[in-house]
């Protein structure tokens, strides 16, 4: 397997980022080496533009990145939205119902790169600190005007989120619900996920990569791993997510991305030796 022309698409939290939410130097150097040798690298995350930009800059990202768990593709070098899909208007009604039935729930609404904290709780405050967000508070459209929502994030304890998810599924809402972290239930446009966004990214690129490799750890990465030619679940991934993977990597605290890149490089050397 030649790394030249290969595309590696990587989740952030729980995959590229370690337990301190940092990129290890070994991962950083491996990504730079991979790109210098003709490989291509990008990110697929549930995060928003402002939260991803420092990471994109640190990695010298040249390809567009998948954001909001697939609701947007953003080119950081060009500061340009390549593609995006908004939630239908029914999402506003759903948010109101959830807020009414679950007074302690945390609700974050993402509108054109700006987070609105409609309902705060412990989980939303921790999320704000973790990603360094500067949110606005309240409803993003207090006077009823239509605004484009990328996603809604519902934050609470794992036990209470089970109740919220059951509440929404009973109503058969035309939305995509996915757990991105144990304390997060995300509401996305119908048919939107990291896998469908990867398909759109490949259409946007000038040529088809020789091989597409994807890495992830949680339920919001399942479609991404399935769509890729090679899906890699890190060792700390949820057991159900590992079922979608072709390969199980090391723990995200053990430089998981560098380990996959080294595996690809090793496969390339072995194939070259085999074909001589």
């Amino acid at each position: 397997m030649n790394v030249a022309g290969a595309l590696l698409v990587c989740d952030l939290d729980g995959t590229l980022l370690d337990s301190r939410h940092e990129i290890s130097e070994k991962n950083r150097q491996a990504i730079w080496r991979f790109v210098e040798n003709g490989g291509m690298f990008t990110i697929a995350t549930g995060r928003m533009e402002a939260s991803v930009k420092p990471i994109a800059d640190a990695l010298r990202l040249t390809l567009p990145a998948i954001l909001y768990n697939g609701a947007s593709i953003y080119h950081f070098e060009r500061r340009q939205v390549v593609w995006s899909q908004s939630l239908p208007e029914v999402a506003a009604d759903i948010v109101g119902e959830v807020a009414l039935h679950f007074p302690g729930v945390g609700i974050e609404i993402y509108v054109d790169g700006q987070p609105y904290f409609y309902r705060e709780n412990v989980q939303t405050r921790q999320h704000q600190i973790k990603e360094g967000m500067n949110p606005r508070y309240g409803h993003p459209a207090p006077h009823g005007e239509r605004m484009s929502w990328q996603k809604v994030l519902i934050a609470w304890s794992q036990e209470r989120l089970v109740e919220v998810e059951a509440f929404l599924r009973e109503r058969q809402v035309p939305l995509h619900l996915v757990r991105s972290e144990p304390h997060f239930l995300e509401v996305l446009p119908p048919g939107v996920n990291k896998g469908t966004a990867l398909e759109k990214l490949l259409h946007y690129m000038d040529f088809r990569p020789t091989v597409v490799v994807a890495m992830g750890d949680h339920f919001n990465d399942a479609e991404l791993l399935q769509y890729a030619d090679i899906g890699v679940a890190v060792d700390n991934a949820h057991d159900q997510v590992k079922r979608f993977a072709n390969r199980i990597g090391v723990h995200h605290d053990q430089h998981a991305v560098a380990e996959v890149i080294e595996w690809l490089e090793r496969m390339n050397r072995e194939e070259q030796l085999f074909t001589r």
Side-chain angles (χ1 to χ4, degrees), residues 113-147:
Q114 175 64 54
Y116 288 78
F117 280 24
Y118 178 54
R119 283 285 183 86
E120 283 190 276
N121 63 7
V122 172
Q123 286 76 25
T124 62
R125 287 189 285 273
Q126 291 174 342
H127 192 207
Q128 178 183 358
I129 294 170
K130 172 187 170 185
E131 296 195 16
M133 288 187 284
N134 183 26
R136 296 176 184 173
Y137 297 91
H139 199 283
H143 304 296
E145 66 269 21
R146 177 65 182 141
M147 300 179 72

Side-chain angles (χ1 to χ4, degrees), residues 7-223:
L7 171 64
L8 176 56
V9 185
C10 189
D11 169 55
L12 285 183
D13 297 286
T15 305
L16 172 60
L17 304 183
D18 59 24
S19 296
R20 297 176 297 177
H21 311 298
E22 296 176 352
I23 305 171
S24 73
E25 187 60 27
K26 186 172 182 179
N27 277 341
R28 189 195 317 268
Q29 293 292 336
I31 291 168
W32 288 347
R33 184 178 70 247
F34 179 74
V35 173
E36 287 171 359
N37 289 331
M40 296 172 286
F41 180 86
T42 194
I43 291 164
T45 177
R47 294 191 183 207
M48 57 182 285
E49 294 92 336
S51 177
V52 177
K53 188 180 186 306
I55 298 168
D57 291 345
L59 294 176
R60 305 168 187 167
L61 203 65
T62 59
L63 285 180
I66 296 169
L67 309 180
Y68 302 107
N69 279 317
S72 179
I73 301 174
Y74 187 79
H75 203 305
F76 282 94
E77 274 196 334
R78 300 176 185 175
R79 300 180 182 179
Q80 176 187 20
V81 177
V82 172
W83 174 88
S84 67
Q85 179 67 49
S86 300
L87 281 162
E89 292 189 15
V90 69
D93 297 329
I94 296 303
V95 165
E97 289 186 34
V98 170
L100 178 65
H101 284 80
F102 302 97
V105 73
I107 301 176
E108 305 174 12
I109 304 170
Y110 292 79
V111 181
D112 297 328
Q114 175 64 54
Y116 288 78
F117 280 24
Y118 178 54
R119 283 285 183 86
E120 283 190 276
N121 63 7
V122 172
Q123 286 76 25
T124 62
R125 287 189 285 273
Q126 291 174 342
H127 192 207
Q128 178 183 358
I129 294 170
K130 172 187 170 185
E131 296 195 16
M133 288 187 284
N134 183 26
R136 296 176 184 173
Y137 297 91
H139 199 283
H143 304 296
E145 66 269 21
R146 177 65 182 141
M147 300 179 72
S148 296
W149 294 10
Q150 274 76 46
K151 75 171 186 177
V152 174
L153 186 148
I154 300 173
W156 217 357
S157 68
Q158 296 185 55
E159 297 77 13
R160 298 308 306 271
L161 278 184
V162 171
E163 299 176 35
V164 177
E165 185 171 1
F167 174 84
L168 292 175
R169 294 196 184 279
E170 284 175 4
R171 278 149 184 76
Q172 299 182 344
V173 294
L175 302 166
H176 179 52
L177 306 176
V178 65
R179 289 288 193 98
S180 57
E181 291 190 20
H183 296 99
F184 296 158
L185 173 65
E186 305 211 9
V187 181
L188 301 170
V192 163
N193 56 63
K194 290 184 181 181
T196 56
L198 174 55
E199 182 179 12
K200 293 184 182 301
L201 175 61
L202 292 175
H203 284 308
Y204 171 81
M205 294 171 65
D206 292 335
F207 66 98
R208 175 79 186 192
T210 55
V211 63
V212 178
V213 183
M215 297 181 64
D217 74 304
H218 214 69
F219 294 116
N220 58 322
D221 299 312
E223 293 90 351

